[in-house]
Amino acid sequence: MSETLIDTRGTMDCTDARFSFELLPPRSDRAAAALPTTIDLLAAARPDFIAVTYGAGGSSRALSLELVRYILEHTDVQPMAHLTCVGSSHEEANRLIREFLDAGVRRFLAVRGDPPADLAPGEDGLGDIRSSAELVQLIHRVQAERVPYGELPVPGLHARALLNHRERVQIAVAAFPNGHPSSHSVSQDIDTLLAKQAAGANLGITQLFFHAEDYLSFVQRAREAGVTFPILPGIMPVTSPARLTRMLELSGEDLPSDLAIQLEIEPDEDGQREIGIAWTARLAQRLLDGGAPGLHLYTFNQHAAVLSVLDRIGLLPAAHTTASTPAPTHQESENA
């Protein structure tokens, strides 16, 4: 596969590739107590950003905002706040966006989210905002209302000059290399991505997938259709059969038989972890060799495996290698 397959508005050597992480709000007090250490270790790797998910229907709003504030106050890394529009009114969404902006967030991931499972007949559960494209537009609108213009001091005068441009936010959207569950075709998925771009989205992050060709072919079709923003591949180290099962439940992807077989026949937990890290490192390298602009790593609130993957493909800073990273502990395994 040619390295020029993916146009990211300029050539990029694989050694210049960047990466980001994704965290979940903790589900227990013990996990919450352990998470700051994980964040500190991830932040020391100098990612572009650390994304924080947001539960459907606002179920983890306070926890998400708390994590975002911790990242802002205790690290040099920019957080990316997830926003979902399912079940939200315009007023609720506007208030939440302002809350994140007031906290200092300038990066968002706008997703529609899944409707509640217990809907009454005839209800769709979507609320006032019907799509992630509408949510993208709302984020830009709220930011424009908060900061309608910029100012600069005029040298030598007690005055300030108005700027014609305002501070912009980065708004990422989801992309689905193997199709959204409700989509009828790849063409429909790409048309949806184009609609998000027209609404003001400027970054794509993919759902989990297990084969580099799925991502590379999807991005090629998206580029041919007119999608211009970078599309980051979302990957995650699978370090046990149970974790693989959980990933398949969350993503709806088909079973990667080669990885599943290797994990099943290896009885030792350390051996399974090594298989998962090595398999993901090979996937990551193929993606970068194929032209991916970077990597987005789903951590499941565990730092050791994702840092090991980055170390093996040479993306960790020289002062931050897995040799100085604590081995995974039982407490870490409960973070998710």
Side-chain angles (χ1 to χ4, degrees):
M1 192 79 64
S2 169
E3 290 191 3
T4 60
L5 174 65
I6 301 175
D7 176 13
T8 57
R9 301 187 191 181
T11 59
M12 174 183 293
D13 188 276
C14 288
T15 58
D16 296 326
R18 296 299 301 152
F19 54 87
S20 52
F21 301 117
E22 185 160 308
L23 296 170
L24 307 166
R27 296 186 295 181
S28 69
D29 291 342
R30 184 175 183 178
L35 197 49
T37 298
T38 293
I39 293 173
D40 293 344
L41 288 166
L42 294 175
R46 303 180 199 164
D48 277 353
F49 59 86
I50 297 177
V52 178
T53 65
Y54 179 71
S59 58
S60 62
R61 172 178 175 173
L63 288 173
S64 296
L65 188 56
E66 184 178 337
L67 283 182
V68 163
R69 284 179 171 149
Y70 181 90
I71 295 169
L72 283 167
E73 294 170 5
H74 297 276
T75 79
D76 294 326
V77 179
Q78 281 291 312
M80 174 180 282
H82 286 213
L83 292 173
T84 61
C85 52
V86 164
S88 293
S89 66
H90 279 291
E91 182 181 1
E92 291 168 337
N94 192 303
R95 184 168 57 248
L96 179 61
I97 293 166
R98 285 181 178 274
E99 194 170 6
F100 277 118
L101 288 168
D102 290 344
V105 175
R106 295 299 180 267
R107 296 177 186 242
F108 295 91
L109 175 66
V111 296
R112 193 191 75 168
D114 298 321
D118 56 349
L119 291 174
E123 293 184 349
D124 59 20
L126 292 181
D128 293 342
I129 305 172
R130 312 296 294 180
S131 69
S132 56
E134 290 184 39
L135 184 55
V136 170
Q137 291 177 317
L138 180 60
I139 296 169
H140 280 303
R141 190 178 308 126
V142 172
Q143 171 66 349
E145 291 170 354
R146 284 181 74 258
V147 187
Y149 57 83
E151 294 182 340
L152 283 178
V154 179
L157 297 176
H158 296 292
R160 302 181 72 84
L162 297 184
L163 298 176
N164 290 327
H165 65 276
R166 65 176 64 90
E167 180 185 22
R168 300 286 289 177
V169 292
Q170 181 181 62
I171 305 179
V173 292
F176 299 87
N178 291 315
H180 188 277
S182 64
S183 176
H184 300 294
S185 67
V186 176
S187 296
Q188 183 178 349
D189 288 308
I190 291 176
D191 286 344
T192 300
L193 208 55
L194 284 167
K196 296 173 183 179
Q197 177 173 276
N202 42 39
L203 178 68
I205 300 176
T206 76
Q207 174 65 279
L208 288 169
F209 60 90
F210 294 98
H211 303 287
E213 292 75 12
D214 295 339
Y215 166 83
L216 296 173
S217 61
F218 174 79
V219 174
Q220 183 175 28
R221 292 189 64 170
R223 292 286 176 258
E224 291 170 351
V227 176
T228 58
F229 55 61
I231 301 175
L232 293 175
I235 61 175
M236 178 178 168
V238 182
T239 54
S240 70
R243 179 53 50 82
L244 177 58
T245 299
R246 180 60 175 154
M247 286 177 65
L248 295 175
E249 291 173 353
L250 292 174
S251 67
E253 292 294 304
D254 292 331
L255 177 73
S257 56
D258 53 342
L259 175 60
I261 292 171
Q262 291 180 55
L263 290 173
E264 287 290 349
I265 64 176
E266 173 55 63
D268 181 68
E269 289 186 4
D270 289 339
Q272 291 175 351
R273 181 176 180 274
E274 171 58 27
I275 288 170
I277 290 171
W279 196 93
T280 307
R282 288 193 296 271
L283 171 62
Q285 192 63 62
R286 289 199 65 187
L287 292 167
L288 296 177
D289 290 344
L295 302 168
H296 185 68
L297 293 110
Y298 296 99
T299 70
F300 244 74
N301 291 8
Q302 299 180 15
H303 60 270
V306 293
L307 293 177
S308 292
V309 169
L310 294 174
D311 186 35
R312 294 190 187 195
I313 60 176
L315 290 188
L316 280 187
H320 190 302
T321 67
T322 51
S324 61
T325 301
T329 64
H330 177 67
Q331 186 179 41
E332 183 193 24
S333 69
E334 293 184 353
N335 274 5

